[in-house]
Amino acid sequence: MTHIMIAGGGIAGLTAALSLHAAGFEHVTVVEAARESRPLGAGLNIMPNAVRELDALGLLARLDECAVRTGELRYYHRGGGLISREPRGLAAGYLWPQLSIHRGDLQRVLADAVRERLGGDAVVAGVRVAGVETSAQGRPRVLLAHREGRAAGAASLEPDVLIGADGIRSAVRAALNPGEGEPPWNGLLVWRGVSRVPADRAGAFMFIAGDDRQKAVVYPMTHPSGPEGHVLVNWALAMPATDIAGAERGDWNRPVPVAKFAHHYAGWEFDGVGVPEVLAAADRAFEYPMVDRDPLTRWTHGRTTLIGDAAHAMYPIGSNGATQSIVDARALAHAMATHPGPGEALGAYETERRPAMTELQLANRRQGPEVVITLAHTRAPDGFTDISDVIPAAELAEIAARYATTGAFDPATVNAGSPYELPEPARG
């Protein structure tokens, strides 16, 4: 029986475990450095191509209980002018919705399904990958470090396949690419958080507003609840560190007071949704450097490969981080089930996914579809009366369509159905 080890119990790793199990692989182990799962992070948008894959895993009904089906995306000039409004998900003709969801809720749904389907021992917490060695035959030897209470220990295992799903600071990637160093920083700081606000003040749409130096992304991600009908609103803001007094690159996921940056967004209101009001309702904020990873020329070494951020971490633009991690997981499981051996399977997976993800990483460095707010500001810094005088409708449509095609989430591609369905039970 093929033993598959997954390093990382986040969205990519848990989806990979479920996908491999659905493809007939019974011996799957997920090792996760955190000792317990906590609902960290803020909101995510999951595009229809990934929702299609989660639906194939039987999870859409569970996700609908804790997510919002996003129906519209709006782009605004920082002065308040509407640049464009795009239908999303079902409203755009997709057969699957686009979901706005808290990262912790998505991870909880995935983790619950892993425990139900693979058993309670499938995820081993408090264990991190400390190194990876590859034999002459390509087999991985995984060095593990663990801590239980006051006792620390180390061990090594030799699974048949190792999947690095351990994020932007992946230990598996580092072992395969020694000397790569820290993720490169583009000089922007990102602040993220969650606020609970009345539904009528949250808007029923997702919006991205700003210009070439300052940006705000805001959207509701839960249905109204409680006696006053409040919803959870996700927000993410970005500015150059040079514009913030005493700012530095900092570390990942660093808590900071909202007052550190809120004053830079005074007066930002878009069709009734006020950014200052949303920020005032937040109990905390987290600061991140906006970093990504340089594209790799190779993901797979023998029987070891990478998925998700470990393979192709990209700027948080276009809702493609978690989305493409989910698609990676399904693509890898399909390749494992439809090729005669692990080596051929991992090679086929990389051949399909790496070129497309490299293109998407580079597109995000060029601002992806969010380039429209830069164009609007550059061409009309003081605002506009009619956006068509600034950016013709055909140009707006072409920018959106080109990015959707790059990420394989254009309606025609998504509605053609999953390419990762198996006609009959696979072997594991």
Side-chain angles (χ1 to χ4, degrees):
M1 182 178 292
T2 304
H3 179 206
I4 303 171
M5 176 178 288
I6 301 170
I11 292 167
L14 294 173
T15 306
L18 291 170
S19 301
L20 288 161
H21 179 265
F25 293 90
E26 300 291 341
H27 194 187
V28 179
T29 305
V30 180
V31 294
E32 166 55 45
R35 293 185 191 137
E36 58 182 328
S37 177
R38 294 181 293 170
L40 295 175
L44 298 168
N45 257 261
I46 308 300
M47 302 300 285
N49 55 328
V51 176
R52 177 192 64 193
E53 301 307 322
L54 295 171
D55 188 26
L57 291 171
L59 299 177
L60 182 53
R62 295 189 188 187
L63 293 170
D64 269 331
E65 293 175 359
C66 55
V68 169
R69 293 189 170 197
T70 307
E72 186 178 61
L73 169 63
R74 301 182 186 181
Y75 290 100
Y76 292 95
H77 188 282
R78 67 172 296 159
L82 179 65
I83 298 170
S84 69
R85 52 195 302 172
E86 303 174 4
R88 310 295 279 188
L90 300 180
Y94 290 92
L95 298 179
W96 287 270
Q98 176 175 327
L99 297 180
S100 296
I101 188 170
H102 193 288
R103 178 184 291 273
D105 286 335
L106 174 56
Q107 189 153 337
R108 173 181 52 79
V109 169
L110 294 170
D112 287 349
V114 168
R115 284 190 291 269
E116 293 166 8
R117 301 175 191 183
L118 282 75
D121 297 332
V123 179
V124 182
V127 174
R128 65 178 178 85
V129 173
V132 181
E133 300 172 356
T134 304
S135 72
Q137 293 74 36
R139 192 182 184 95
R141 180 171 181 265
V142 187
L143 309 178
L144 301 172
H146 64 87
R147 179 181 294 276
E148 286 292 339
R150 296 183 178 181
S156 66
L157 290 176
E158 295 187 9
D160 296 293
V161 174
L162 173 64
I163 300 171
D166 47 344
I168 192 168
R169 290 179 171 82
S170 166
V172 177
R173 177 176 174 135
L176 301 178
N177 300 274
E180 184 179 30
E182 284 290 299
W185 181 37
N186 69 358
L188 295 179
L189 289 178
V190 178
W191 300 281
R192 301 196 69 175
V194 175
S195 300
R196 184 176 294 276
V197 302
D200 62 351
R201 301 297 300 161
F205 51 88
M206 173 183 182
F207 76 75
I208 300 172
D211 56 26
D212 54 333
R213 292 187 64 79
Q214 189 174 358
K215 182 176 73 171
V217 181
V218 179
Y219 55 86
M221 57 181 178
T222 62
H223 299 289
S225 63
E228 298 180 1
H230 283 66
V231 300
L232 287 183
V233 172
N234 178 78
W235 50 267
L237 314 173
M239 286 183 64
T242 52
D243 292 354
I244 306 296
E248 56 184 359
R249 171 179 170 138
D251 200 358
W252 193 256
N253 210 36
R254 180 171 65 178
V256 296
V258 175
K260 177 178 180 178
F261 53 84
H263 59 285
H264 292 285
Y265 293 86
W268 282 45
E269 183 168 329
F270 307 95
D271 284 333
V273 183
V275 175
E277 180 181 356
V278 170
L279 296 180
D283 59 354
R284 59 180 178 174
F286 293 93
E287 183 177 85
Y288 309 77
M290 189 181 286
V291 296
D292 67 355
R293 280 292 190 186
D294 291 328
L296 290 173
T297 58
R298 183 181 179 188
W299 291 355
T300 302
H301 295 246
R303 295 186 178 189
T304 299
T305 197
L306 305 171
I307 66 172
D309 282 353
H312 49 70
M314 58 189 76
Y315 292 154
I317 290 171
S319 304
N320 266 290
T323 290
Q324 298 298 340
S325 295
I326 291 165
V327 178
D328 281 352
R330 291 278 290 165
L332 178 57
H334 184 267
M336 286 289 296
T338 55
H339 288 80
E344 297 92 331
L346 301 189
Y349 154 74
E350 178 174 336
T351 297
E352 178 197 348
R353 295 293 294 165
R354 186 175 57 78
M357 292 304 95
T358 293
E359 187 176 354
L360 198 59
Q361 286 178 285
L362 298 177
N364 279 15
R365 286 184 173 182
R366 298 188 296 268
Q367 299 184 314
E370 296 175 18
V371 72
V372 298
I373 64 175
T374 295
L375 291 176
H377 175 72
T378 301
R379 297 176 186 179
D382 298 322
F384 50 83
T385 301
D386 187 342
I387 185 60
S388 63
D389 295 332
V390 181
I391 311 176
E395 185 178 1
L396 287 171
E398 194 276 333
I399 289 170
R402 182 175 64 241
Y403 188 74
T405 300
T406 300
F409 58 86
D410 57 289
T413 299
V414 174
N415 291 349
S418 174
Y420 309 122
E421 291 284 4
L422 295 169
E424 58 186 34
R427 78 278 173 289

